[in-house]
Amino acid sequence: MFENKDTSKTPIAQLGEFGLIDHLAKNFEISSKTTVKGIGDDAAVLAPEKGKQLVVTTDMLVEGVHFDLSYMPLKHLGYKAVMVNLSDVYAMNATAQQITVSIAVSNRFPVEAMEELYSGIQTAAALYKVDVVGGDTTSSTSGLVISITAIGTATPEKIAYRTGAKENDLLVVTGDLGAAYLGLQVLEREKQVYKVNPNSQPDLEKYTYLIERQLKPEARKDIGGLLAELEVQPTSMIDISDGLSSEIIHICKSSAVGCNLYEDKIPLDPQVISACEEFNLDSTTIALSGGEDYELLFTVSTEDFPKIKANPNLTVIGHITKESEGMHLITRANTKIPLIARGWNAMEESE
Ligand code: ADP
Ligand code: MG
């Protein structure tokens, strides 16, 4: 796949680096009033709004490490690469405004493949209302690398750091967890089946949500606005890229606090529960360690509980304790197990 042997496809060399940039960049229009100059000069020019701070974040995706093009269509990859970055901006409780996109690409990819990638980037940028204001294009010897930088803004008092969680605060998560990891398991399995029997027609109907969560994740742009509407300022916040347990640990360590997380409160989609049964996996382990859900995890003061408790987007999954109490999962069987970065440590039951 993606060997450019198809003579109907255009080799990148035919356009050259500058031709490729012009070709890919021609569709990007500027819409944010904070963008003064986008693509086309030595640097983009941005106009910071009065009273706001800037948040800047970068994520790099490497073929063979972060994605596999045998089941990840390039359009989806472009879309996901943008989401991964916007998610970090939203995790600061900020508004995303611009992105830059850098790619390293080998001659294995025709121009049409880059068009696909950019159509995903463009779709995401338009939907999330961010301007693509620049980037860099270079060659690579074999694989594809995409690095995106996202820029956002927020007033200083809105920005939510990892360091602000306080004892007794509630631990809150958006959406549901574990689906993206299971989507990957389904796709990996289909890839193996396809290798053995290329004519097999997989029935993926019952996994649609899982696959969508893996191939087309959506960053939680809505949560900043929702919290503002509810008049809730999170005391700390992080996005869930690596799995719930490692993100909780990041918040607890940064804030010098402990936590109790309740297994029975972790929100799971019915497809997650049924796929876990089928794959013989423990759904709590998947939610804790799966990763790539791009939901938000945050803490709020207990006074804010009435404002969030009825919201279908938000689930209280635990609370913050003193640092000396440690970080624990309280299981359905009411045992207390230390949380570790990959799930929890079943070997070290305490109490
Ligand atoms: P320079 O030589 O100054 O780095 P380039 O020729 O690399 O300039 O880039 C020219 C313009 O195109 C710049 O505005 C740059 O940000 C933009 N650009 C380059 N590569 C990309 C890309 N892959 N995606 C979007 N914009 C790009
Ligand atoms: Mg350049």
Side-chain angles (χ1 to χ4, degrees):
M1 233 177 172
F2 296 111
E3 289 289 336
N4 191 21
K5 289 184 186 129
D6 182 349
T7 48
S8 67
K9 297 272 163 65
T10 320
I12 287 177
Q14 196 173 310
L15 290 182
E17 187 201 323
F18 296 128
L20 180 66
I21 295 171
D22 288 344
H23 183 67
L24 295 176
K26 68 171 185 281
N27 295 322
F28 289 110
E29 280 166 20
I30 296 310
S31 61
S32 167
K33 61 178 188 298
T34 64
T35 309
V36 179
K37 174 75 188 178
I39 293 171
D41 215 307
D42 297 311
V45 180
L46 309 179
E49 293 163 278
K50 201 160 181 269
K52 297 216 171 163
Q53 293 181 331
L54 294 175
V55 306
V56 179
T57 174
T58 301
D59 260 293
M60 190 184 281
L61 299 179
V62 177
E63 184 179 359
V65 178
H66 302 101
F67 58 89
D68 180 338
L69 290 174
S70 57
Y71 49 69
M72 182 65 140
L74 279 158
K75 184 172 179 179
H76 286 75
L77 177 63
Y79 192 92
K80 184 168 179 172
V82 176
M83 288 309 125
V84 168
N85 281 276
L86 297 187
S87 181
D88 281 320
V89 173
Y90 302 142
M92 300 302 290
N93 205 23
T95 306
Q97 305 274 12
Q98 289 90 11
I99 57 171
T100 64
V101 180
S102 298
I103 53 174
V105 57
S106 81
N107 57 14
R108 174 178 143 236
F109 296 88
V111 170
E112 287 78 2
M114 291 303 100
E115 287 171 354
E116 280 287 297
L117 179 75
Y118 265 72
S119 82
I121 292 171
Q122 197 170 6
T123 302
L127 215 56
Y128 283 73
K129 299 198 166 44
V130 294
D131 292 337
V132 180
V133 296
D136 199 23
T137 308
T138 185
S139 53
S140 109
T141 48
S142 62
L144 175 66
V145 178
I146 309 171
S147 174
I148 294 187
T149 295
I151 298 158
T153 55
T155 54
E157 60 282 4
K158 283 261 168 182
I159 295 182
Y161 296 93
R162 295 178 180 184
T163 48
K166 299 274 181 306
E167 189 184 353
N168 298 325
D169 281 357
L170 301 172
L171 200 52
V172 184
V173 72
T174 64
D176 54 71
L177 300 174
Y181 176 83
L182 289 168
L184 183 62
Q185 300 314 302
V186 170
L187 291 166
E188 291 273 5
R189 185 176 68 181
E190 291 314 318
K191 183 182 170 184
Q192 297 311 321
V193 171
Y194 180 84
K195 274 187 191 160
V196 179
N197 178 10
N199 295 320
S200 70
Q201 289 288 324
D203 177 16
L204 300 176
E205 193 69 32
K206 59 181 176 177
Y207 309 117
T208 46
Y209 180 65
L210 309 179
I211 293 170
E212 191 173 300
R213 293 280 281 177
Q214 171 60 222
L215 294 183
K216 196 169 171 290
E218 303 289 354
R220 297 306 304 249
K221 179 186 203 285
D222 56 326
I223 298 301
L226 173 67
L227 292 175
E229 216 172 276
L230 296 172
E231 296 180 9
V232 173
Q233 172 61 30
T235 54
S236 70
M237 183 142 71
I238 191 168
D239 74 320
I240 305 182
S241 50
D242 296 334
L244 179 62
S245 70
S246 72
E247 314 303 359
I248 290 181
I249 292 171
H250 280 310
I251 284 194
C252 287
K253 288 196 169 156
S254 300
S255 299
V257 293
C259 72
N260 286 329
L261 165 68
Y262 293 85
E263 182 180 25
D264 63 346
K265 303 282 190 233
I266 298 173
L268 303 172
D269 185 85
Q271 281 194 13
V272 166
I273 295 166
S274 54
C276 277
E277 280 169 15
E278 184 186 334
F279 283 81
N280 203 14
L281 294 167
D282 175 57
S283 58
T284 304
T285 309
I286 300 308
L288 288 176
S289 310
E292 294 199 294
D293 290 314
Y294 300 107
E295 294 294 343
L296 296 173
L297 172 73
F298 56 92
T299 52
V300 299
S301 154
T302 47
E303 286 154 38
D304 288 330
F305 179 62
K307 301 181 195 163
I308 61 163
K309 69 175 180 194
N311 198 290
N313 289 295
L314 309 176
T315 310
V316 177
I317 55 171
H319 59 87
I320 299 297
T321 63
K322 282 197 181 66
E323 187 175 26
S324 58
E325 289 179 41
M327 298 170 276
H328 291 97
L329 176 76
I330 316 296
T331 67
R332 287 195 188 86
N334 209 24
T335 53
K336 200 171 179 183
I337 301 174
L339 272 181
I340 56 166
R342 286 264 151 245
W344 70 85
N345 194 350
M347 307 313 289
E348 264 184 55
E349 288 210 21
S350 67
E351 282 157 85

